[in-house]
Amino acid sequence: MFQLPRGTRDFTPRDMQKRRYVEDTMRTVFQSFGYQEVQTPTFETLELFTAKSGEGIIDELYSFTDKGGRELALRPELTAPVMRFYVEKLQMEAKPLKLFYFGNCFRYDRPQKGRYREFWQAGCELVGTDTPESYAELISLAYAVLRMTGLKNITVNIGNLTILSSIFTKLNLSKDQQQELIPLIDKAQFDDVKTTLQQFGVAQRDQEKFLDILQTANIKKLSSFVQHDAQARQEIDLLTAIINLLPLFNIKNYHLKMSIVRGLDYYKGMVFEIDAPNLGAEKQLCGGGAYELIPLFGGRETPTAGFAIGFDRTILALETEKYAFPSPTLTAYVIPVNKALLEQSFTIAQQLRSKNIATDIDLLRRGIGKALKYASSINAKTAIIVGPQELKQDAVMVRDMKSGKQELVKCSALPKKFR
Ligand code: HAM
């Protein structure tokens, strides 16, 4: 017996119905905001991912050397690939350029519920604008994509890395000290943050002020902390403008969260995350923000921002909310009552299929009783019973599988009946 590689999954037909349904909904929302779909390869040169993050990231990747000696990696995310694509082929496109994608990603993570080694992302990148309205629209797009799938319980958190870094500077923290603090902030281990700040010799008053901001930020508190820094003040104005625009996009419930640090190393300025609180440890459904990769990839500098939604976690969150996924039904199940009627039965099935009416047919030459039982087990809406008497009148018996009611329908009238 072979086993699934750790951290990967098979998807049953029912899983796939749910996933395709959610994917179709998400695609419609991206398109309704003027985004266009792109696709990039599943593997890229390893360097694409180490360029910004350094060699350290290799431990988290599926990387390999191919038969030609090239160092490659399965993509852990799609922002770097899409930016590589942009620099290579899309720089001349009119701005802003709005791109979205769906794709499987691979991370050498420790698997648990909601965290896999192969998982799927739905995401987008916005190139060529950094106005507050573009960021407000971006956040609202992420929110709309998730809400339109049917999710109810989600929270939007908005942070800013420039402001956070300005606070670090104000506290006189070296780069190494910041690196030590960031994982603690990320995991909301605030007691440990406090102890570490103490060890770094940060004054008691500043410790408390910083912890207060990490836990309950508002614009006023932030402003008072970073008045010394013109760039941070500019980001506070941007943040204020974004927040003021959110109600216009129907986002009334959001939190300012200065403890958002984001994992990938390319963000700067505005960042945001959307959580599904009832998912537990792996509750982060979406992460994104403004970032910089284009100059590093040799392109002309232009603002970029985007986000990615964890597709698998979205499905988990919907299941946790007991969302009633639509179950697609087969319109008709054709049952020839004997072997002699196979040909006519297939002709009927093919006629319906050519009109895009979902039709199946008994392939096991079963009796009517068993065939009807099967039809009901596969959720067929109707059964078309093809019998010799009815065929003499050029008709078949159509049975409603729910009510059990039967009616005689002319063969030529079948497509119209089901349309
Ligand atoms: P990320 O936060 O690393 O951001 O991933 C986005 C989402 O992918 C997460 O919020 C989570 O829902 C899902 N995810 C991440 N790792 C796993 C995993 N091992 N198993 C299941 N789901 C997972 C990015 O990837 C950025 N590229 C987002 C972005 C786009 N930023 C700008 N543009």
Side-chain angles (χ1 to χ4, degrees):
M1 270 279 276
F2 294 109
Q3 275 179 354
L4 270 178
R6 196 164 134 78
T8 66
R9 290 152 299 153
D10 293 317
F11 299 105
T12 63
R14 180 64 184 139
D15 292 333
M16 286 313 295
Q17 282 163 11
K18 291 181 181 178
R19 293 173 73 87
R20 289 288 177 241
Y21 164 76
V22 171
E23 184 181 327
D24 290 348
T25 309
M26 289 180 165
R27 180 171 285 112
T28 309
V29 183
F30 279 121
Q31 287 167 340
S32 76
F33 275 67
Y35 279 74
Q36 303 181 79
E37 189 164 357
V38 288
Q39 200 169 41
T40 61
T42 310
F43 55 86
E44 297 272 354
T45 55
L46 176 63
E47 219 190 323
L48 181 72
F49 304 109
T50 54
K52 187 87 190 183
S53 307
E55 302 281 313
I57 200 183
I58 296 178
D59 287 346
E60 295 162 39
L61 294 178
Y62 276 89
S63 56
F64 57 98
T65 311
D66 79 358
K67 295 193 179 75
R70 300 169 195 90
E71 295 282 350
L72 302 171
L74 298 181
R75 60 183 175 203
E77 55 106 38
L78 282 103
T79 305
V82 171
M83 286 305 109
R84 174 205 41 77
F85 181 25
Y86 169 80
V87 170
E88 257 181 84
K89 300 220 178 74
L90 304 172
Q91 286 201 79
M92 301 309 283
E93 298 287 314
K95 303 290 179 322
L97 185 61
K98 293 174 144 185
L99 307 171
F100 79 96
Y101 49 79
F102 288 92
N104 52 348
C105 302
F106 306 83
R107 294 185 190 179
Y108 199 77
D109 258 334
R110 203 162 30 83
Q112 64 180 69
K113 190 183 174 208
R115 198 203 295 158
Y116 313 99
R117 288 185 170 174
E118 183 190 27
F119 63 99
W120 274 256
Q121 281 188 347
C124 70
E125 311 302 337
L126 174 63
V127 186
T129 170
D130 56 5
T131 57
E133 55 273 27
S134 18
Y135 292 152
E137 192 195 63
L138 187 73
I139 297 168
S140 78
L141 170 59
Y143 184 74
V145 168
L146 287 167
R147 289 280 297 162
M148 290 301 278
T149 64
L151 265 184
K152 291 201 175 73
N153 195 357
I154 52 176
T155 46
V156 179
N157 297 307
I158 304 170
N160 190 296
L161 296 184
T162 308
I163 299 173
L164 184 68
S165 136
S166 169
I167 296 176
F168 284 152
T169 311
K170 176 95 182 272
L171 297 176
N172 273 327
L173 298 173
S174 69
K175 278 273 168 264
D176 285 347
Q177 290 175 327
Q178 295 178 24
Q179 287 311 324
E180 205 171 312
L181 273 178
I182 283 172
L184 302 175
I185 296 175
D186 188 28
K187 290 188 202 109
Q189 296 171 346
F190 296 125
D191 287 344
D192 297 338
V193 171
K194 194 165 176 5
T195 321
T196 313
L197 287 173
Q198 249 156 13
Q199 284 164 6
F200 293 162
V202 173
Q204 174 87 11
R205 227 191 99 218
D206 283 345
Q207 285 172 29
E208 276 159 20
K209 216 168 147 192
F210 182 46
L211 278 159
D212 180 40
I213 277 181
L214 286 183
Q215 291 169 85
T216 53
N218 64 38
I219 296 286
K220 224 166 117 195
K221 281 185 200 171
L222 288 174
S223 303
S224 77
F225 219 131
V226 297
Q227 260 169 9
H228 64 288
D229 181 342
Q231 211 189 348
R233 281 204 313 270
Q234 219 174 353
E235 289 291 330
I236 288 188
D237 290 345
L238 176 72
L239 196 58
T240 312
I242 295 170
I243 288 168
N244 288 338
L245 283 164
L246 289 179
L248 191 70
F249 293 102
N250 255 335
I251 300 183
K252 298 188 179 85
N253 212 350
Y254 60 84
H255 305 276
L256 275 191
K257 196 173 166 194
M258 278 305 123
S259 58
I260 298 181
V261 289
R262 304 291 304 132
L264 309 151
D265 303 300
Y266 45 64
Y267 294 98
K268 63 174 185 52
M270 187 278 297
V271 284
F272 71 101
E273 291 177 350
I274 303 181
D275 294 344
N278 51 20
L279 275 191
E282 301 301 323
K283 63 175 192 249
Q284 196 196 110
L285 291 182
C286 170
Y291 61 90
E292 201 174 70
L293 280 175
I294 290 177
L296 183 72
F297 293 172
R300 266 186 312 282
E301 204 165 327
T302 185
T304 40
F307 64 79
I309 289 175
F311 190 79
D312 312 85
R313 290 185 193 173
T314 307
I315 305 273
L316 280 177
L318 283 164
E319 287 171 344
T320 310
E321 288 189 5
K322 304 242 176 314
Y323 179 74
F325 288 93
S327 36
T329 44
L330 187 76
T331 307
Y333 187 73
V334 181
I335 305 172
V337 304
N338 63 46
K339 212 166 86 180
L341 299 172
L342 272 177
E343 209 171 288
Q344 284 104 319
S345 301
F346 272 105
T347 308
I348 289 169
Q350 287 298 96
Q351 187 195 6
L352 294 178
R353 288 167 172 172
S354 74
K355 298 272 188 296
N356 249 334
I357 296 163
T359 308
D360 199 359
I361 183 165
D362 179 44
L363 294 173
L364 282 176
R365 303 181 179 186
R366 281 181 278 222
I368 297 188
K370 279 195 177 150
L372 280 175
K373 216 165 151 193
Y374 177 75
S376 113
S377 80
I378 57 170
N379 260 335
K381 265 205 232 141
T382 55
I384 299 176
I385 302 161
V386 184
Q389 297 306 331
E390 293 82 0
L391 268 190
K392 273 189 199 143
Q393 305 168 53
D394 222 2
V396 288
M397 201 56 93
V398 174
R399 179 189 176 94
D400 184 305
M401 292 300 295
K402 220 182 196 162
S403 66
K405 271 198 198 133
Q406 300 201 150
E407 63 172 322
L408 198 66
V409 179
K410 285 273 180 213
C411 291
S412 57
L414 279 173
K416 211 169 143 208
K417 171 156 180 68
F418 291 120
R419 223 178 296 127

